């Protein structure tokens, strides 16, 4: 079977702030910026992975979501309770300094993990958790 990840979704409450973070701070490229039926979603991705995209969409963007569901999603997003994504990098410390300098909310400074990674974590402007991992050389 030929199966690969194509897209994942993150909820954002302000696309302009999200773009400033994902494009200008992380260096992801904007692939699409679409408005449709009163909603907007933006697709970003790493130039190193042209076939993988992150779709930044409003909370509760599902057209079948009830108003109560959309409100619940917005509240969970505001609390930082929705899941995020994990990126890999070749230099966790350099990336940490660049993202911290942008004013992003630091969750965890770079730390060596017992399972062979060095990682750090931030929250994006909407509160989504983003982890950045670097493989450590084998001892």
């Amino acid at each position: 079977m030929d199966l690969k990840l194509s897209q994942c979704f993150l909820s954002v409450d302000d696309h302009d702030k999200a773009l400033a973070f994902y494009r200008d701070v992380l260096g992801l490229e904007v692939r699409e910026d679409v408005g449709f039926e009163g909603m907007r979603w933006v697709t970003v991705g790493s130039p190193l992975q042209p076939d993988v995209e992150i779709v930044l969409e409003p909370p509760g963007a599902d057209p079948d979501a009830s108003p109560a569901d959309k409100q619940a999603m917005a509240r969970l997003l505001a609390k930082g309770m929705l899941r995020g994504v994990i990126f890999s990098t070749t230099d966790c410390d350099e990336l940490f300094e660049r993202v911290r300098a942008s004013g992003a909310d630091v969750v965890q400074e770079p730390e060596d993990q017992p399972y062979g990674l060095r990682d750090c974590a931030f929250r994006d402007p909407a509160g989504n958790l983003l982890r950045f991992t670097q493989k450590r050389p084998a001892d």
Side-chain angles (χ1 to χ4, degrees), residues 13-43:
D13 54 358
D14 184 322
H15 282 91
D16 294 327
K17 286 181 183 177
L19 271 173
F21 181 77
Y22 286 94
R23 179 193 57 215
D24 303 339
V25 176
L26 297 185
L28 300 183
E29 58 189 18
V30 176
R31 304 219 176 121
E32 292 190 43
D33 189 339
V34 178
F36 181 71
E37 294 185 2
M39 286 193 305
R40 178 183 181 194
W41 64 90
V42 177
T43 305

Side-chain angles (χ1 to χ4, degrees), residues 41-112:
W41 64 90
V42 177
T43 305
V44 296
S46 168
L48 300 174
Q49 291 179 296
D51 57 343
V52 178
E53 299 175 328
I54 300 171
V55 181
L56 306 172
E57 65 177 3
D62 184 330
D64 296 323
S66 71
D69 290 341
K70 290 179 182 184
Q71 280 185 326
M73 290 289 291
R75 282 194 303 274
L76 289 171
L77 178 62
K79 290 180 173 183
M81 299 295 293
L82 300 180
R83 299 303 298 169
V85 295
I86 300 174
F87 293 92
S88 64
T89 181
T90 56
D91 191 337
C92 183
D93 294 278
E94 186 277 328
L95 186 133
F96 175 82
E97 292 303 329
R98 180 168 32 114
V99 177
R100 179 171 56 180
S102 77
D105 181 22
V106 176
V107 174
Q108 176 198 311
E109 294 196 13
E111 184 176 312
D112 289 339

